[in-house]
Amino acid sequence: MNIVEKEALKFNERGFYKSARTLESLKSNLTTKLYGFNRERDRLDFLKILREKTISDKEEHAKNCSGCSYDETRNIALFSIDQEIDDINRLYLTNQNRKTNLVLNKNRNYITN
């Protein structure tokens, strides 16, 4: 298990959901945690693991629950996680396009914005 996996599982177990029940507080906790990772790949791995763990916990909880706020909090968390994944993917693709344009423009001996 690598550091990113350990951090994701620790973040999940230590109360990502317990201390935050609203969209704003969940997103704030998630953004703060993601700030510690410099690479997009690490952020995406962290989010993937957190998403998978959230879904499995939710499914496991549903087997024994007759109705509580557990699902609602997890659904908000999944929404936040998916937004972060989409954001990183969008930024990654934008940066890849810029790098490609820069290479193409260097080959033509001029650079455009």
Side-chain angles (χ1 to χ4, degrees):
M1 186 178 301
N2 67 32
I3 292 171
V4 174
E5 291 170 324
K6 288 179 185 177
E7 287 295 315
L9 294 175
K10 193 177 354 174
F11 186 66
N12 183 65
E13 292 168 8
R14 286 198 176 163
F16 170 47
Y17 310 104
K18 294 175 187 170
S19 65
R21 299 214 188 286
T22 65
L23 177 62
E24 293 80 15
S25 58
L26 284 166
K27 283 186 69 80
S28 176
N29 287 350
L30 190 57
T31 300
T32 301
K33 183 62 179 178
L34 290 173
Y35 186 76
F37 300 106
N38 291 331
R39 294 182 294 209
E40 275 90 3
R41 180 77 257 156
D42 291 339
R43 289 182 185 129
L44 286 172
D45 288 345
F46 178 88
L47 290 166
K48 182 187 119 201
I49 294 163
L50 187 61
R51 187 176 199 290
E52 289 170 353
K53 183 71 173 140
T54 300
I55 290 170
S56 71
D57 288 351
K58 185 179 160 187
E59 289 170 350
E60 189 65 32
H61 181 81
K63 293 176 184 176
N64 302 318
C65 182
S66 58
C68 67
S69 64
Y70 190 92
D71 271 359
E72 182 180 345
T73 304
R74 295 320 183 268
N75 288 337
I76 294 169
L78 287 170
F79 177 76
S80 298
I81 292 166
D82 288 344
Q83 281 190 330
E84 289 292 338
I85 291 170
D86 290 346
D87 222 24
I88 292 169
N89 283 332
R90 181 180 49 81
L91 291 173
Y92 179 76
L93 291 174
T94 300
N95 287 337
Q96 287 301 102
N97 288 339
R98 282 188 196 145
K99 287 178 186 175
T100 302
N101 288 337
L102 183 61
V103 169
L104 291 174
N105 291 331
K106 281 183 178 178
N107 290 337
R108 293 182 181 155
N109 294 325
Y110 63 90
I111 299 175
T112 60
N113 293 331

